[in-house]
Amino acid sequence: MYFSALQTKRSPPDQWLYFLIMDEGFQKVTSLALILNSGSSSLKFAVYTPDEQLCLAGKLTRIGLPNGQFQVTDQSNQTHVSQHDLPDHATALTTLFNWLSTQTNVKLSAVGHRLVHGGSHRTPQRVTPELLTDLRLLIPLAPDHLPAEISLIETVSQLYPDLPQVVCFDTSFHRTMPDTATRLPLPRQLADEGLIRYGFHGLSYEYVVNQLAKEAGPVAAQGRVLIAHLGNGASMAAVYQGKSLDTTMGFTPTGGLMMGTRTGDLDPGVLLYLIRNRQMDASTLSHLLNDESGLQGVSGISSDMQELLQQESHNQAAAQAIDLFCYLARKQLGAMATVLNGVDTLIFTGGIGENAPAIRARICDQLDFLGIKINPERNTSSAAIISPEGHTPIVRVIPTNEEIIIARYTWQLLSLTNPTSLNSSLP
């Protein structure tokens, strides 16, 4: 039996359903790309054919925490969930390769990676020793992300040295931002050292812009588009003529919007106070800003928006966290609209943006001065267009798909004819 996969229409990436097709006429797939999307404590993966058919997908979660979990939907349409000791991302990847080696039809031709930071790199790159050396120099710019992501590349090289790899940078999409948008109000020599605004979530924004062109046509995609990527990590981007003009995240993914566990923008004086009066060092500050703040910190309950919405009616702290998230999102949306000199299309994406109608409604409330309105019934059903019929700006919901963008670049960069079999013991 050979396999392919169908994605349910408008399903978010973490809720894909996979259906295997038994078809005597289906041709054996000889080239597959494994796509890796690493988070701070998770590793999402997908397997794509050259024509962008999704074959397998899953995730390894709670990396570095107790009770690590591996979840995958296999070639028999069975979802497997198992517990593993996952002390680091390299172990998680080895666990994945061990499972792939048991799948008789899986032969990989390439591995594509999402990297949070690319520095000055504007385009995806094939992995070479020289590129790895360059990436290691960027670690000070993203110390919470790049070490684990580089470790994945090195692990693949150790296990399968002949398997080509491609890296796609979350910062590349924003390299079109003008100098005024990238510069920080710091001494010039610091900018020369790389202290500028880079922006992130670029792979998601690129997918959404491409999808807008498919759904609404090229004219809409070339207009004034404001995209709200709202999830555990959250940001917004002002896009015109398909290019990024500005975005809310800056030097690191900690800046901009309030997020699940991150502060977003913060008065620098707060950091000075914590250093002087609470004797916090860099490591303690990083943990506070990235892991203990945001929705988690304000609510004292959870970083999960759905859980907070369930508790909002009887828990004042949950209600306050939600109110603050929506208030700050409206402020940032107004700033991005100013950059665009108006909005033709507003798009919600990401876990919250796609699945939390109540949050979309609250963010859009009091935006009459921009002409933004939503239709309650359409919004509740998370329709493709949630603004009233014939109204502009048009407000859309577009599920994002970073992995397919990585797969697309991986196939474009590599001419592949000799897949690597995983149906043998790992070295």
Side-chain angles (χ1 to χ4, degrees):
M1 182 182 89
Y2 304 121
F3 64 93
S4 66
L6 298 176
Q7 180 183 335
T8 56
K9 187 176 182 181
R10 306 200 63 76
S11 297
D14 59 352
Q15 295 181 13
W16 282 335
L17 300 177
Y18 304 96
F19 302 91
L20 305 182
I21 302 173
M22 295 191 66
D23 183 352
E24 294 300 327
F26 187 76
Q27 298 298 310
K28 183 176 181 179
V29 176
T30 58
S31 292
L32 295 172
L34 172 64
I35 306 305
L36 300 175
N37 188 341
S38 173
S40 58
S41 63
S42 65
L43 176 61
K44 292 197 298 183
F45 65 91
V47 175
Y48 279 95
T49 66
D51 59 354
E52 299 181 3
Q53 291 296 310
L54 179 63
C55 299
L56 295 170
K59 56 188 175 182
L60 296 102
T61 55
R62 298 187 60 79
I63 298 172
L65 302 170
N67 303 316
Q69 189 176 88
F70 175 44
Q71 178 178 328
V72 63
T73 301
D74 68 13
Q75 300 171 25
S76 302
N77 198 25
Q78 299 294 314
T79 298
H80 299 267
V81 179
S82 55
Q83 300 292 325
H84 293 267
D85 182 18
L86 303 174
D88 51 42
H89 285 72
T91 303
L93 181 58
T94 302
T95 301
L96 171 59
F97 273 129
N98 276 325
W99 183 85
L100 287 173
S101 69
T102 68
Q103 307 303 297
T104 58
N105 290 331
V106 175
K107 293 185 178 182
L108 297 182
S109 291
V111 177
H113 300 261
R114 168 184 170 265
L115 262 65
V116 71
H117 214 303
S120 61
H121 291 287
R122 293 179 175 269
T123 59
Q125 304 285 319
R126 181 165 177 167
V127 173
T128 64
E130 294 76 19
L131 179 65
L132 276 175
T133 298
D134 192 16
L135 293 177
R136 293 187 187 101
L137 295 176
L138 295 176
I139 287 176
L141 300 182
D144 295 329
H145 297 85
L146 276 179
E149 293 166 353
I150 293 172
S151 174
L152 291 179
I153 298 171
E154 293 172 336
T155 300
V156 173
S157 296
Q158 292 166 4
L159 297 176
Y160 299 100
D162 296 328
L163 195 58
Q165 299 185 73
V166 168
V167 290
C168 299
F169 305 108
D170 237 1
T171 50
S172 295
F173 182 77
H174 300 295
R175 298 300 292 167
T176 58
M177 293 195 304
D179 179 75
T180 303
T182 62
R183 188 167 292 276
L184 293 168
L186 292 169
R188 298 190 67 86
Q189 61 267 27
L190 293 178
D192 294 339
E193 294 176 18
L195 271 73
I196 62 172
R197 299 183 68 251
Y198 290 95
F200 301 88
H201 286 146
L203 295 169
S204 175
Y205 290 129
E206 183 172 352
Y207 175 82
V208 169
V209 171
N210 290 344
Q211 196 63 22
L212 176 62
K214 291 181 180 179
E215 294 184 12
V219 174
Q222 292 291 307
R224 299 171 297 178
V225 181
L226 201 163
I227 306 172
H229 177 114
L230 306 179
N232 189 53
S235 68
M236 293 183 184
V239 180
Y240 180 62
Q241 294 184 342
K243 297 180 179 180
S244 176
L245 295 184
D246 204 346
T247 187
T248 55
M249 284 180 172
F251 178 61
T252 73
T254 307
L257 300 176
M258 172 183 175
M259 306 176 218
T261 61
R262 301 177 203 162
T263 59
D265 286 347
L266 198 64
D267 179 352
V270 173
L271 306 184
L272 295 175
Y273 173 88
L274 293 172
I275 292 170
R276 290 169 177 165
N277 297 281
R278 298 288 293 274
Q279 290 75 50
M280 288 191 178
D281 59 16
S283 177
T284 305
L285 273 176
S286 177
H287 186 66
L288 173 69
L289 301 180
N290 290 294
D291 303 309
E292 297 182 323
S293 299
L295 292 172
Q296 175 70 54
V298 175
S299 71
I301 300 169
S302 174
S303 62
D304 184 86
M305 181 63 80
Q306 295 295 346
E307 183 176 347
L308 294 178
L309 285 168
Q310 292 170 6
Q311 298 199 35
E312 178 184 19
S313 62
H314 59 271
N315 190 304
Q316 184 178 3
Q320 189 175 44
I322 295 170
D323 286 344
L324 183 59
F325 179 90
C326 295
Y327 172 73
L328 294 174
R330 278 197 302 274
K331 287 179 65 175
Q332 296 276 12
L333 191 153
M336 293 296 105
T338 299
V339 170
L340 290 168
N341 193 25
V343 180
D344 299 316
T345 304
L346 169 62
I347 301 172
F348 287 97
T349 192
I352 296 173
E354 297 165 24
N355 302 303
I359 300 304
R360 294 194 298 258
R362 294 187 202 188
I363 290 175
C364 291
D365 188 30
Q366 301 180 36
L367 294 179
D368 293 353
F369 71 101
L370 291 173
I372 293 174
K373 296 181 181 295
I374 61 173
N375 177 282
E377 291 75 21
R378 289 182 171 186
N379 183 46
T380 300
S381 63
S382 294
I385 297 177
I386 61 174
S387 50
E389 183 71 29
H391 184 80
T392 55
I394 297 175
V395 184
R396 294 179 174 269
V397 178
I398 298 181
T400 193
N401 188 341
E402 296 167 324
E403 287 79 13
I404 201 169
I405 293 293
I406 302 169
R408 187 172 300 162
Y409 280 123
T410 298
W411 291 120
Q412 287 177 2
L413 276 173
L414 302 174
S415 176
L416 303 168
T417 55
N418 298 314
T420 296
S421 176
L422 299 181
N423 308 126
S424 59
S425 298
L426 290 172

